Amino acid sequence: MSTALNPDEHLDGSGNRIGPALRTEALEQLLTERGLVDPNVMDKFIATYETAVGPLNGAKVVAKAWTDPEYKARLLAEGTAAIKELGFAGPQGEHIVVVENTDSVHNVVVCTLCSCYPWPVLGLPPAWYKDPAYRARVVREPRKVLSEMGCEVGDDVEIIVRDSSAEVRWLVLPQQPAGTEGLSEEELIPLITRDALVGVAHISAP
Amino acid sequence: MDSVADIGGATGWGQVSPPPPQDQDPPFHDAWEGRAFALTLLAMGRVSGQNLDAFRYALSRLDSKSYFDDGYYGRWLNASELMLVESGIIAPGAVDARARKNAGESVEEPGEPEPSKPDYSATAAGSLRQVEEAPRFAVGDTVTTLTDVESDANKLPLYVRGRTGVVEAVQPAHVFPETHARFLGEKAQHVYSVRFTSTELYGADAEKFDLTIEIFDDYLQEKA
């Protein structure tokens, strides 16, 4: 079964490697011609993750948790169910665990073996999350990696790295910035960034 | 996992740059990335339902160039091609031949192969399953991971092998990727989030932090 593709494959007549754009087009043609794939269905998948399913969903979850203590308690106890209350569920969201960042604990999420990520609340992973350097290093020197990414974590704050090696997906509930306590959910949502929900950024007051 | 994909804790990688602003970082940076993404989702269904573990196993069997050099969605494309070739849905070399033809080369394309799609389907949607027997370990138990695993489809990263930690949570039972990925059965089992100290993982000089990772029951040694 372990028949890896030959690394010398994917060469054109001049011996240059054929880029993935050209090979993607070729594979789509081969499958479409035989009726195995419908390009319209492909368009729908792409549009879904370009527009409908993205980090705005996660921002709504966090804004609600910040303004509704009972919701926050449910979110931390049963993440998947509490997220579904807002209508967010689907692939890569079978079991979502939410962990809270506080004055004393900073959680940061990774998937070292691939790039598993909670799609229903954050959409598809950003480039940095898929970067082999992030995957390799954040489980070895997280404080240093976070600092390189512009996220300073105090020496008195304990870091917990969450490596998503199975089907559990992790979402970070970031700290609400001081001075935003009186804001409504609608006012809070635009402040909440994707990177903070993975644990590589803090959220600033406006 | 012991493969091209198993890079957790590996040294030699460069710096991680600050992320760009969210509105300048769309999910797909080129149109082909979206096409490769959607093709992969559909191709997986063609091979054997939505067997994500088979897809991840295919990713882990790519050569280093096909894994790293073509980028994230290039890697998806390459794993899709591997699964489609192994299932006899497309012929070896068919994608390259078509791409070269499209680029104006005179190339003969291989014919359709004999289908050899695995005779396999999952017992239910998704990866979570009910397991009747009680979990072997409870929250707070000290556990040690195996030092060696045989299957190349395993999901026990090198950096946590033979390490001792504490069960932080008992997660819902999952299908076992090692067998499911190779169409050998689901072997559903308990999964634990196990918490390790950085010094247990890397030694006394390590940066101080804790780490949790999901460990399948099969990868934990018997109780001491």
Side-chain angles (χ1 to χ4, degrees):
Chain A
M1 187 84 190
S2 284
T3 49
L5 292 178
N6 179 348
D8 296 330
E9 276 180 326
H10 307 319
L11 301 181
D12 67 15
S14 314
N16 297 315
R17 192 170 170 88
I18 310 164
L22 289 176
R23 284 187 286 115
T24 299
E25 181 190 24
L27 180 60
E28 182 176 345
Q29 284 176 7
L30 291 171
L31 296 176
T32 305
E33 283 166 6
R34 286 164 59 193
L36 297 175
V37 156
D38 178 349
N40 295 319
V41 175
M42 290 175 60
D43 291 342
K44 280 183 194 148
F45 284 171
I46 294 165
T48 296
Y49 286 98
E50 280 185 331
T51 56
V53 182
L56 179 59
N57 294 359
K60 288 176 178 170
V61 170
V62 168
K64 187 168 176 62
W66 282 352
T67 52
D68 178 346
E70 287 177 9
Y71 181 75
K72 179 180 166 182
R74 292 201 296 283
L75 184 66
L76 293 173
E78 291 281 348
T80 321
I83 287 165
K84 203 172 179 184
E85 287 179 37
L86 303 193
F88 309 134
Q92 294 300 300
E94 269 189 281
H95 188 73
I96 302 177
V97 177
V98 182
V99 283
E100 184 180 17
N101 282 355
T102 66
D103 286 338
S104 56
V105 174
H106 184 96
N107 292 275
V108 57
V109 181
V110 64
C111 166
T112 59
L113 290 177
C114 22
S115 296
C116 297
Y117 194 71
W119 292 7
V121 275
L122 295 181
L124 298 177
W128 60 260
Y129 188 81
K130 302 175 289 193
D131 182 347
Y134 179 79
R135 287 165 50 191
R137 291 183 51 219
V138 81
V139 297
R140 190 176 192 113
E141 42 185 5
R143 200 174 296 270
K144 186 154 183 256
V145 169
L146 289 170
S147 176
E148 288 169 20
M149 297 177 82
C151 180
E152 300 299 337
V153 178
D155 288 339
D156 56 337
V157 178
E158 179 185 28
I159 291 179
I160 308 175
V161 180
R162 306 291 182 173
D163 187 357
S164 323
S165 59
E167 297 300 333
V168 176
R169 296 289 168 268
W170 297 86
L171 183 73
V172 173
L173 176 59
Q175 278 193 288
Q176 181 167 1
T180 62
E181 293 79 6
L183 298 186
S184 67
E185 270 181 70
E186 289 69 30
E187 291 168 318
L188 289 167
I189 287 169
L191 308 181
I192 300 166
T193 62
R194 171 193 65 205
D195 298 342
L197 277 55
V198 190
V200 303
H202 302 296
I203 293 178
S204 330
Chain B
M1 191 178 245
D2 203 0
S3 77
V4 67
D6 188 2
I7 58 175
T11 54
W13 294 97
Q15 286 223 327
V16 183
S17 305
Q22 195 166 312
D23 57 3
Q24 291 166 34
D25 196 11
F28 307 118
H29 287 255
D30 282 301
W32 72 265
E33 295 185 344
R35 307 309 289 175
F37 164 76
L39 271 176
T40 298
L41 296 186
L42 292 169
M44 239 190 290
R46 283 282 158 201
V47 174
S48 182
Q50 294 294 335
N51 191 328
L52 269 175
D53 292 314
F55 172 61
R56 294 184 186 126
Y57 180 47
L59 282 169
S60 77
R61 288 181 292 136
L62 297 174
D63 63 86
S64 170
K65 269 189 197 170
S66 298
Y67 190 88
F68 292 112
D69 295 4
D70 291 333
Y72 181 70
Y73 289 108
R75 167 185 324 155
W76 279 42
L77 171 76
N78 296 330
S80 295
E81 183 183 352
L82 178 56
M83 291 177 79
L84 290 164
V85 167
E86 287 179 342
S87 305
I89 293 171
I90 59 169
V95 175
D96 287 1
R98 176 59 63 91
R100 291 173 63 182
K101 206 171 156 188
N102 287 343
E105 286 189 59
S106 171
V107 179
E108 189 164 342
E109 296 188 73
E112 283 180 31
E114 193 67 30
S116 55
K117 195 176 133 167
D119 179 17
Y120 183 84
S121 54
T123 62
S127 302
L128 305 186
R129 298 287 183 271
Q130 297 291 327
V131 169
E132 289 199 4
E133 68 204 51
R136 247 194 319 158
F137 301 100
V139 171
D141 282 356
T142 296
V143 292
T144 301
T145 56
L146 300 181
T147 50
D148 287 304
V149 275
E150 271 183 29
S151 169
D152 68 344
N154 78 78
K155 292 278 278 183
L156 183 66
L158 287 169
Y159 83 96
V160 293
R161 286 192 197 167
R163 302 298 200 278
T164 297
V166 173
V167 174
E168 184 182 89
V170 180
Q171 302 292 0
H174 289 32
V175 300
F176 189 42
E178 195 175 301
T179 49
H180 188 52
R182 299 175 61 205
F183 309 112
L184 299 173
E186 293 190 350
K187 206 180 173 190
Q189 57 189 267
H190 293 291
V191 175
Y192 309 88
S193 291
V194 178
R195 184 158 169 162
F196 299 95
T197 64
S198 58
T199 47
E200 170 67 11
L201 297 177
Y202 303 111
D205 295 336
E207 190 186 283
K208 295 289 180 291
F209 66 97
D210 277 6
L211 175 139
T212 69
I213 180 169
E214 280 69 61
I215 306 281
F216 289 83
D217 191 77
D218 268 25
Y219 299 139
L220 291 174
Q221 296 185 20
E222 291 300 323
K223 281 186 185 180

